[in-house]
Amino acid sequence: MYLLEHSNYDIIVIGAGHAGCEAALAAAKMGCEVLLLTLNLDNVALMPCNPSVGGPAKANLVREIDALGGEMAKNLDATLMQLRMLNTRKGPAVQALRAQLDRKLYQRRMKHVLESTEGLYLKEGIVVDLLFSGDQVQGVVLIDGTKIYSKAVIIATGTYLASEIYIGEISYPSAPQAQHSSIDFSKNLAKRFNLRRFKTGTPPRVNSRSIDKSKMEIQPGNHSKYGFSFETKGIEIEQVPCWLTYTNEKTHEIVKNNLHRSPLFSGGIKGPGPRYCPSIEIKVTEFPDRLSHQVFAEPEGWDTDEVYLSGVSTSLPVEVQLEMLKTIPGLENAEIMRPGYAIEYDCLDPLDLENTLKVKGAQGLYTAGQINGTSGYEEAAGQGLVAGINAACFCLGKEPLVLKRSEAYIGVMIDDLVTKGTLEPYRIMTSRAEYRLILRQDNADQRLTPIGYHYGLISEERYQKFQQKQITIDSFIEELKGIEINPSNEINEALKEIGTAPISRKTSLADLLRRPEVSIPQLRKAFSINEMDEEIEEQAEITLKYSGYIAKQQQAIERFQKIEEVRLPESVDYSKIEGLSREAREKLARVAPRTLGQASRISGVTPADISVLMVFIEQRRGVQNGKNS
């Protein structure tokens, strides 16, 4: 047996993927003694899918993780190969950073951070069961029988629970990239909790030297005024390009002719896959009118020729994968280094979770990442951070963290999971956030840094810099409001030169900046304005330009809070509340919402049901007040 030199910790984290890393780091920084267990120390923070992070809504998650004091953003900025700002022609609510990473470098740096964090112990160990005393988790059991005790446990097992790989007619127990599948642990979890099967997959990886890039469209990186972390000031590297090509009718014909050999269609795979990242088999069958689909050739690292072919995820046999690739421009001579595959795995029903990510009916037990039915590195890391904070709060006797939908995309994601559940791997999207104009990637620090500081994850030095930044933004806005110009031929000629209409009355520069066509650099050409840091100017411009819309969303949030903050009793027998529909009674009992607002978002609970609940709450208050008088 091993690990007996230290068999008692505050928190044990099972799994060192993106959820587990953030959970362990957060809990350790808050002062807990944390054991992080992984199947293989060489695969810490592994990216088994494409080595890229970000994009719409996902970039918001990463910046929120950073604002709260997490590590993912810093690790990205230190190991990226390419950085792009997407949707630059659209508004700030949907603009998003996306990075291509060196996969191995990302792993090495994150492992070093974990190893260097005081109070955090990173060790190999195969967990096969949890220890319980009644409904209180007490630790874990390893494969050799070793028992390790703790006050709390965080399960962040990713796609490793009873995972099975599918390539054509072949299937075998395995986790991503030929790793160990956690079969015994899954069996033991199933004795206590409701498990389900989900599916995901990857495309083939090919040798860069076998690609003819002259037949593809180059996708270069672009300059960004900042990185993913608010502490990063610009990315100074020679960025590598990605490449774009397309499938065609020949490609689709090969796929269609071999659908009977795909486990997605032959009945081998039962679990649903990610709707917004479908395999090429699903694409050609569900979109028969599409003559082509995008394929991005994305490098996996500075020191490897391995290239990820995003857009052709598949579980077809290897020989069919090769035949298919040879029909795609630039891939006619492609050499497959790793075949694409589908993977099916066990996960929890997120309706069994509280909004702290604690498992209902299990004290001290938290879950994060793909075990909760999500997909994506960013979604996993965001959950891991929250689970780590709340497990630490449980151990330290502090109030848990629950992020509101109006505070963070992380809050939207967790509320969606624990309130609505999911029938397929969940992916965060901007359309899921009703207050997305406020939940922008550029202002994540304004929304969340004070919270991270409160929980001890933001240093005093960083917090002081954050406060000074807010003071500078506010001062700059006041400066723009204070500079007023009077209409004159000279002034209107200057306005004409920067492409905006003349003025007929005294106007402040702040009012000019509210015009869609006017930017701060343009104003500086015509008028005397102090030059500020780009990030400061961006925040000032967004605040002024969208002030009306932001004010409307803020009013909507305030109205929403009135219902959101109405607490429901922790133990309610909904079957005895007259006036509720049968479906509402069943769904409310299943979810056990904490607030009236959460109840209103449960599928099947109608406005009429909410009215009944409001009457019930008022009646209950009246009874309690009568008893107290």
Side-chain angles (χ1 to χ4, degrees):
M1 294 187 182
Y2 54 99
L3 293 173
L4 288 180
E5 77 280 359
H6 192 170
S7 60
N8 206 314
Y9 297 83
D10 291 319
I11 298 170
I12 297 173
V13 181
I14 306 170
H18 304 282
C21 289
E22 293 294 347
L25 285 168
K29 288 178 183 178
M30 289 176 67
C32 292
E33 198 164 53
V34 181
L35 172 63
L36 176 57
L37 288 170
T38 178
L39 296 172
N40 188 335
L41 284 173
D42 294 329
N43 288 320
V44 169
L46 176 69
M47 292 183 161
C49 202
N50 58 330
S52 66
V53 171
K58 287 175 172 280
N60 301 56
L61 285 181
V62 178
R63 298 212 99 203
E64 289 176 356
I65 290 165
D66 182 71
L68 285 166
E71 188 63 30
M72 176 177 256
K74 294 185 182 67
N75 215 52
L76 290 173
D77 291 344
T79 61
L80 58 79
M81 304 170 69
Q82 184 196 92
L83 187 66
R84 300 183 71 192
M85 181 68 81
L86 307 180
N87 299 330
T88 54
R89 295 182 181 180
K90 298 181 180 179
V94 293
Q95 290 179 8
L97 286 170
R98 185 182 185 276
Q100 190 70 26
L101 308 168
D102 184 309
R103 183 164 60 89
K104 289 294 184 182
L105 193 58
Y106 185 93
Q107 291 179 250
R108 288 198 297 270
R109 186 188 178 279
M110 184 64 83
K111 183 169 181 280
H112 176 69
V113 171
L114 294 166
E115 293 168 338
S116 305
T117 299
E118 186 176 353
L120 197 163
Y121 301 86
L122 174 63
K123 297 179 183 288
E124 279 191 4
I126 300 174
V127 175
V128 295
D129 205 357
L130 298 175
L131 293 170
F132 275 93
S133 176
D135 66 354
Q136 170 66 55
V137 71
Q138 289 195 317
V140 302
V141 182
L142 302 186
I143 195 169
D144 65 353
T146 299
K147 294 180 180 179
I148 310 175
Y149 295 91
S150 63
K151 300 173 186 175
V153 172
I154 302 170
I155 306 176
T157 45
T159 60
Y160 289 64
L161 288 180
S163 50
E164 189 158 3
I165 295 288
Y166 291 84
I167 305 175
E169 296 90 352
I170 301 170
S171 66
Y172 52 91
S174 177
Q177 298 190 4
Q179 295 188 84
H180 180 77
S181 176
S182 189
I183 297 172
D184 291 337
F185 188 36
S186 183
K187 287 179 180 178
N188 286 321
L189 285 177
K191 296 175 184 177
R192 185 178 285 265
F193 307 110
N194 298 315
L195 299 185
R196 51 165 68 173
R197 296 289 276 178
F198 274 0
K199 169 261 174 189
T200 188
T202 71
R205 274 83 158 177
V206 300
N207 194 315
S208 176
R209 292 175 298 171
S210 67
I211 297 176
D212 185 354
K213 298 183 179 70
S214 67
K215 297 181 179 180
M216 298 179 170
E217 301 172 25
I218 191 169
Q219 303 287 299
N222 55 35
H223 169 72
S224 175
K225 62 180 73 68
Y226 45 68
F228 278 94
S229 173
F230 286 94
E231 295 189 281
T232 300
K233 302 303 176 185
I235 303 295
E236 301 297 333
I237 62 166
E238 184 177 345
Q239 300 187 36
V240 300
C242 295
W243 301 87
L244 173 63
T245 184
Y246 297 86
T247 63
N248 51 57
E249 293 182 71
K250 288 184 179 179
T251 316
H252 300 176
E253 183 180 357
I254 291 170
V255 173
K256 290 175 183 177
N257 290 340
N258 288 277
L259 287 176
H260 63 286
R261 302 187 67 189
S262 168
L264 293 173
F265 291 84
S266 66
I269 292 176
K270 301 294 192 300
R275 178 187 301 265
Y276 301 100
C277 188
S279 67
I280 189 64
E281 295 98 299
I282 297 297
K283 288 179 181 179
V284 300
T285 53
E286 293 195 359
F287 306 101
D289 296 332
R290 288 281 299 272
L291 301 181
S292 66
H293 294 280
Q294 292 181 326
V295 180
F296 290 92
E298 302 173 338
E300 294 226 336
W302 297 104
D303 300 320
T304 179
D305 285 326
E306 207 169 344
V307 173
Y308 183 95
L309 296 180
S310 181
V312 283
S313 176
T314 182
S315 57
L316 287 164
V318 177
E319 64 271 20
V320 179
Q321 294 184 32
L322 188 59
E323 183 184 2
M324 171 184 71
L325 293 184
K326 290 184 179 299
T327 66
I328 299 173
L331 299 176
E332 293 90 347
N333 298 306
E335 172 197 340
I336 293 179
M337 299 179 73
R338 302 184 201 231
Y341 61 85
I343 181 169
E344 200 173 32
Y345 56 94
D346 284 348
C347 56
L348 286 174
D349 184 342
L351 291 178
D352 289 332
L353 303 176
E354 297 181 4
N355 52 9
T356 59
L357 295 182
K358 186 186 86 68
V359 179
K360 292 176 181 176
Q363 298 304 310
L365 182 62
Y366 298 80
T367 57
Q370 285 180 279
I371 189 175
N372 290 341
T374 58
S375 67
Y377 311 137
E378 304 90 343
E379 288 89 342
Q383 292 171 71
L385 181 62
V386 171
I389 291 171
N390 285 330
C393 288
F394 174 81
C395 294
L396 300 172
K398 295 183 177 180
E399 279 293 310
L401 170 65
V402 176
L403 292 170
K404 302 183 183 73
R405 296 181 70 89
S406 57
E407 286 181 317
Y409 269 91
I410 297 175
V412 171
M413 170 179 63
I414 293 175
D415 183 70
D416 279 350
L417 290 170
V418 305
T419 302
K420 302 174 183 177
T422 183
L423 298 176
E424 61 194 26
Y426 175 98
R427 176 178 180 170
I428 193 66
M429 295 180 291
T430 54
S431 59
R432 297 190 190 273
E434 57 268 52
Y435 305 116
R436 52 189 170 273
L437 187 55
I438 288 176
L439 305 183
R440 307 184 310 274
Q441 65 166 11
D442 61 86
N443 71 347
D445 59 338
Q446 294 178 35
R447 294 182 276 116
L448 299 174
T449 295
I451 296 175
Y453 178 71
H454 171 76
Y455 283 97
L457 300 180
I458 297 293
S459 68
E460 184 65 37
E461 179 184 5
R462 178 173 176 180
Y463 189 61
Q464 293 300 324
K465 288 181 179 178
F466 159 75
Q467 288 186 310
Q468 185 57 52
K469 174 185 172 183
Q470 305 316 305
I471 292 170
T472 305
I473 292 170
D474 292 341
S475 298
F476 186 50
I477 290 173
E478 290 305 312
E479 177 187 340
L480 294 173
K481 288 179 178 179
I483 301 176
E484 296 183 323
I485 53 177
N486 291 303
S488 68
N489 291 336
E490 183 181 356
I491 289 293
N492 284 332
E493 186 61 33
L495 293 175
K496 181 180 178 181
E497 287 182 9
I498 64 174
T500 191
I503 58 173
S504 58
R505 58 181 176 82
K506 182 185 288 187
T507 305
S508 71
L509 295 190
D511 287 333
L512 282 178
L513 193 56
R514 289 189 175 96
R515 298 179 177 183
E517 70 276 10
V518 177
S519 66
I520 288 176
Q522 287 175 315
L523 287 180
R524 187 174 290 114
K525 288 180 181 179
F527 308 102
S528 178
I529 305 175
N530 291 324
E531 187 167 356
M532 310 293 289
D533 180 87
E534 280 187 272
E535 197 173 356
I536 299 294
E537 291 189 354
E538 178 189 57
Q539 285 295 292
E541 185 168 330
I542 291 173
T543 299
L544 289 169
K545 209 177 267 330
Y546 295 91
S547 57
Y549 299 103
I550 292 172
K552 287 181 181 179
Q553 285 212 346
Q554 201 62 53
Q555 291 169 3
I557 290 171
E558 290 170 4
R559 290 193 301 269
F560 169 75
Q561 288 302 111
K562 291 179 182 179
I563 183 173
E564 182 64 26
E565 293 175 358
V566 176
R567 304 285 296 181
L568 287 166
E570 289 191 14
S571 56
V572 180
D573 187 349
Y574 290 102
S575 66
K576 294 182 179 179
I577 300 179
E578 294 184 7
L580 288 177
S581 67
R582 181 177 178 180
E583 182 179 7
R585 289 174 177 176
E586 293 174 354
K587 296 289 183 65
L588 289 165
R590 176 75 175 86
V591 176
R594 291 295 185 88
T595 68
L596 200 59
Q598 186 183 1
S600 71
R601 294 188 294 277
I602 298 173
S603 176
V605 176
T606 67
D609 295 318
I610 295 301
S611 297
V612 171
L613 285 178
M614 293 177 73
V615 172
F616 165 76
I617 292 169
E618 288 302 318
Q619 289 175 340
R620 188 182 178 100
R621 284 176 181 168
V623 171
Q624 289 177 342
N625 291 336
K627 288 180 180 179
N628 295 331
S629 60

